[in-house]
Amino acid sequence: MAGGKETPRQKMIGMMYLVLTALLALQVSNTVLEKFIFIDNSLEQAVDNSKIKNNNTVDRISGAVKEAGDRKEDVAVLQKARDVREKTSQVINILDSLKRKFVVMTGDLEEDGTYKGMKNEEEIADLMVRQKHGDQLKADLNSYASYIASTTGMDISPIALDAKDNPTFKDNPEQNMKSFSEITFLNTPMVAGLASLSQLKTEVLARETAALDHLARQVGAKDLKFDNIVAMVRPESNVVAAGTKYKADLFIAASSSAVNPVMTVNGKSVPVENGMGKIEFTADADKYDADNRAERSFKAAIAVEQGANKEVYEQTFSYYVTKPVIQVQSASVQALYLNCGNELQINVPALGTTYNPSFTANGASTFPGKKTGAVTVVPSNAKVNLSVSSNGYSIGSESFSVKRVPKPSIEVFGPGNKPVDLKKGEEINRFRSLTVKAIPDEDFASFLPKDARYKVIEADIVLARGSRPVPGGIMKLTNESANISSMMSKAKPGDRLVIEVKKVQRMNFKGQLEDVKLTESDKISTIFLN
């Protein structure tokens, strides 16, 4: 509004203005009107407090000028402060005059002191909108803001805004074409108009407060008194190993609430709260020593204005950046499997809650998981280098070897899903169905169950007698399981069932299928018939 950080009182006044705006949108009742009267009284109390504060500021400026020997440049600042007070009083008088006019023109007061015309809207709108007194008020208020800006050199915003320039109304298509007068005084009960004028008084005094504070700093009216005193500890290290000594310097730090120091780190401003600068930046390093540490430094500067003088205190501080330790959690950390979704959990304990990882890899593609630090790595090369960053800063990398997916074994199951006895064989009269399955390697299935899903797609089943197939004893299997009753009706003891697997597929973690290459010995299974 007037430049600078808002005080709690100014924030409270701003909140009251929002409430006032909301109430104006409600259907008017006596209860709502009473709320306007309450807000008006509260705003007037804030106005009185600001007047007292600003008068005291001018007195302090006068005292500081006299104490400094009435120097010419200081006397000029004092005169500006007095001119600002005079200009402010003129604008406040305009607003007070309008408030009195609102009351009188709507019937004045009842015997009990309440307003007779508290609900009156028409006369307020006629005066402020149709007779254009609102346009004159807008000109007076914004002329005052311009005067403060030119007198102090500060960036001072206008006070009276049309709806299109007012953050409260600019995005409201039903309001943003209205003028300052219309948005403030049209369809407005008299008591709401009083509250609006009081709110404008707070806007005026807020700008005066900012201007007088600015002028006071030019003559040292804000004495550098260290009234914020705290105990501080400067340790040799915040990390102490068990069995070693913790060492630190204990001292008193003091700051002044009466001055606004400007603090920078490496030339960039840092926020100041209660006289203390809040330094925050992301530590990084390009190279680390044998102990995984890198020495870094920053230059801090504190500028304090005392009267016409400006003191700057500078110092360079050193610190060490330690290389974070990357922890990898996985079912199989030693190696990853080729073309599989290897799920890893990458943690960097040293970063705590600030850990916000992202991952890139050479020799693999990566997919972030739902949990912080979770990542799925799909290798495409024999070696994978996984790089870890947090909030855009590189943390480090981990290397993994990659091994091929182990071949599945082919197993045949008979009725009741019981494994076929390849040594003893099967009895002809009981062997009426079979199932051929591709069974994944046990360790691989344990590590990556989503990638260990196999299925026999095609196989030939041959009833053999001696060195030749039995006539009519050949069938194709296309769905892992087959009914072989017709084939068994042609079988004799001593015959063989020869199963040759033609095609096996694996479904990966994405649901994609790929063909599996089997050796010739893996493809053939022979079952003796009894």
Side-chain angles (χ1 to χ4, degrees):
M1 237 177 337
K5 186 177 179 182
E6 287 189 334
T7 66
R9 178 180 286 110
Q10 288 169 336
K11 292 179 180 178
M12 181 269 293
I13 292 171
M15 183 60 68
M16 283 187 175
Y17 178 62
L18 290 177
V19 173
L20 172 63
T21 304
L23 289 174
L24 284 170
L26 297 175
Q27 195 169 23
V28 177
S29 67
N30 286 338
T31 302
V32 173
L33 294 174
E34 289 170 1
K35 295 294 189 299
F36 283 125
I37 295 172
F38 169 77
I39 291 174
D40 181 47
N41 291 336
S42 298
L43 290 172
E44 283 291 356
Q45 182 62 52
V47 166
D48 291 340
N49 292 337
S50 294
K51 287 179 179 178
I52 293 171
K53 179 181 182 298
N54 292 348
N55 280 329
N56 290 339
T57 301
V58 174
D59 290 342
R60 287 204 315 275
I61 294 174
S62 177
V65 170
K66 184 175 292 186
E67 185 177 345
D70 291 322
R71 293 173 298 193
K72 181 179 179 181
E73 61 273 19
D74 291 344
V75 171
V77 171
L78 175 58
Q79 187 57 50
K80 282 185 179 182
R82 289 171 173 165
D83 291 344
V84 166
R85 274 267 67 202
E86 177 62 27
K87 188 70 172 180
T88 302
S89 295
Q90 293 173 8
V91 177
I92 295 297
N93 287 339
I94 292 172
L95 291 165
D96 282 336
S97 177
L98 280 172
K99 291 190 70 172
R100 287 192 296 271
K101 195 165 190 175
F102 280 13
V103 174
V104 172
M105 69 188 298
T106 57
D108 215 333
L109 301 175
E110 300 282 4
E111 291 183 2
D112 61 359
T114 58
Y115 299 114
K116 287 184 178 180
M118 64 189 326
K119 291 185 178 181
N120 190 302
E121 296 180 4
E122 183 59 30
E123 293 194 46
I124 302 301
D126 183 67
L127 177 69
M128 301 305 292
V129 179
R130 289 182 281 277
Q131 295 183 36
K132 298 188 181 301
H133 283 248
D135 292 346
Q136 182 59 51
L137 177 61
K138 175 184 175 182
D140 291 337
L141 292 171
N142 291 342
S143 174
Y144 171 80
S146 298
Y147 167 80
I148 295 297
S150 62
T151 300
T152 62
M154 299 172 64
D155 183 14
I156 300 294
S157 60
I159 298 173
L161 302 174
D162 292 332
K164 64 182 176 61
D165 301 317
N166 192 319
T168 305
F169 304 108
K170 67 177 184 179
D171 296 322
N172 185 339
E174 296 181 0
Q175 303 290 341
N176 58 17
M177 298 303 293
K178 294 181 179 180
S179 66
F180 162 74
S181 300
E182 292 170 330
I183 203 69
T184 309
F185 301 108
L186 192 63
N187 299 322
T188 300
M190 188 273 286
V191 288
L194 295 180
S196 295
L197 292 173
S198 294
Q199 190 275 329
L200 291 171
K201 288 165 71 173
T202 67
E203 294 282 340
V204 170
L205 288 164
R207 285 157 177 77
E208 182 191 43
T209 298
L212 294 177
D213 286 345
H214 178 78
L215 294 171
R217 286 193 293 272
Q218 296 181 20
V219 293
K222 290 194 172 182
D223 298 327
L224 189 59
K225 296 179 181 179
F226 295 106
D227 51 355
N228 294 328
I229 300 174
V230 295
M232 298 290 289
V233 172
R234 184 174 59 187
E236 290 185 359
S237 175
N238 283 323
V239 180
V240 183
T244 63
K245 293 183 177 180
Y246 175 87
K247 295 182 179 180
D249 294 327
L250 177 64
F251 57 96
I252 287 177
S255 61
S256 174
S257 60
V259 296
N260 296 316
V262 176
M263 302 188 186
T264 61
V265 170
N266 292 332
K268 295 182 179 179
S269 297
V270 298
V272 180
E273 297 178 9
N274 298 322
M276 294 186 180
K278 303 298 181 181
I279 300 174
E280 180 179 329
F281 56 83
T282 302
D284 63 349
D286 299 325
K287 296 180 180 179
Y288 297 91
D289 61 20
D291 295 323
N292 284 330
R293 298 198 314 171
E295 185 176 5
R296 307 283 291 194
S297 64
F298 64 87
K299 184 177 181 180
I302 302 175
V304 179
E305 291 186 6
Q306 178 64 13
N309 300 320
K310 181 178 180 180
E311 295 288 344
V312 180
Y313 305 91
E314 297 180 336
Q315 188 169 345
T316 299
F317 298 89
S318 297
Y319 64 98
Y320 286 90
V321 179
T322 58
K323 186 176 182 180
V325 176
I326 298 176
Q327 294 181 350
V328 181
Q329 297 176 4
S330 170
S332 176
V333 178
Q334 293 77 18
L336 307 178
Y337 284 99
L338 186 68
N339 295 327
C340 293
N342 299 268
E343 296 180 353
L344 306 178
Q345 179 65 41
I346 310 295
N347 297 326
V348 184
L351 298 184
T353 57
T354 65
Y355 183 45
N356 181 27
S358 57
F359 305 96
T360 56
N362 289 327
S365 54
T366 61
F367 303 92
K370 293 182 179 179
K371 295 182 178 180
T372 301
V375 61
T376 298
V377 181
V378 185
S380 55
N381 291 338
K383 293 285 185 182
V384 169
N385 189 64
L386 180 67
S387 298
V388 184
S389 299
S390 179
N391 294 308
Y393 289 86
S394 175
I395 302 301
S397 62
E398 290 287 322
S399 295
F400 301 88
S401 59
V402 178
K403 51 188 178 183
R404 295 184 178 277
V405 175
K407 295 289 190 297
S409 59
I410 302 299
E411 295 188 17
V412 183
F413 299 84
N417 206 32
K418 293 182 179 180
V420 169
D421 192 332
L422 297 179
K423 289 184 178 181
K424 294 182 179 181
E426 294 288 339
E427 295 181 12
I428 294 173
N429 61 350
R430 297 176 61 184
F431 199 43
R432 290 293 182 265
S433 65
L434 61 78
T435 301
V436 184
K437 294 183 178 181
I439 306 301
D441 175 82
E442 185 176 350
D443 288 340
F444 176 62
S446 175
F447 294 150
L448 300 175
K450 295 179 183 178
D451 279 286
R453 296 175 289 176
Y454 293 91
K455 188 174 183 179
V456 175
I457 302 301
E458 183 181 340
D460 289 341
I461 304 174
V462 179
L463 177 61
R465 185 174 295 154
S467 60
R468 294 184 179 182
V470 173
I474 298 176
M475 67 181 297
K476 284 192 175 293
L477 182 147
T478 58
N479 192 30
E480 285 195 332
S481 298
N483 187 325
I484 57 174
S485 296
S486 61
M487 183 179 286
M488 288 297 96
S489 67
K490 300 178 178 64
K492 295 181 180 180
D495 288 352
R496 307 178 313 278
L497 271 184
V498 180
I499 302 168
E500 182 179 2
V501 175
K502 295 291 189 180
K503 187 174 183 180
V504 174
Q505 288 185 331
R506 179 178 72 89
M507 180 181 288
N508 66 13
F509 74 105
K510 291 183 177 180
Q512 299 169 336
L513 297 174
E514 65 175 31
D515 293 338
V516 178
K517 293 183 178 179
L518 299 175
T519 62
E520 291 301 319
S521 60
D522 292 332
K523 294 180 180 180
I524 306 296
S525 297
T526 301
I527 304 170
F528 293 98
L529 301 175
N530 303 318

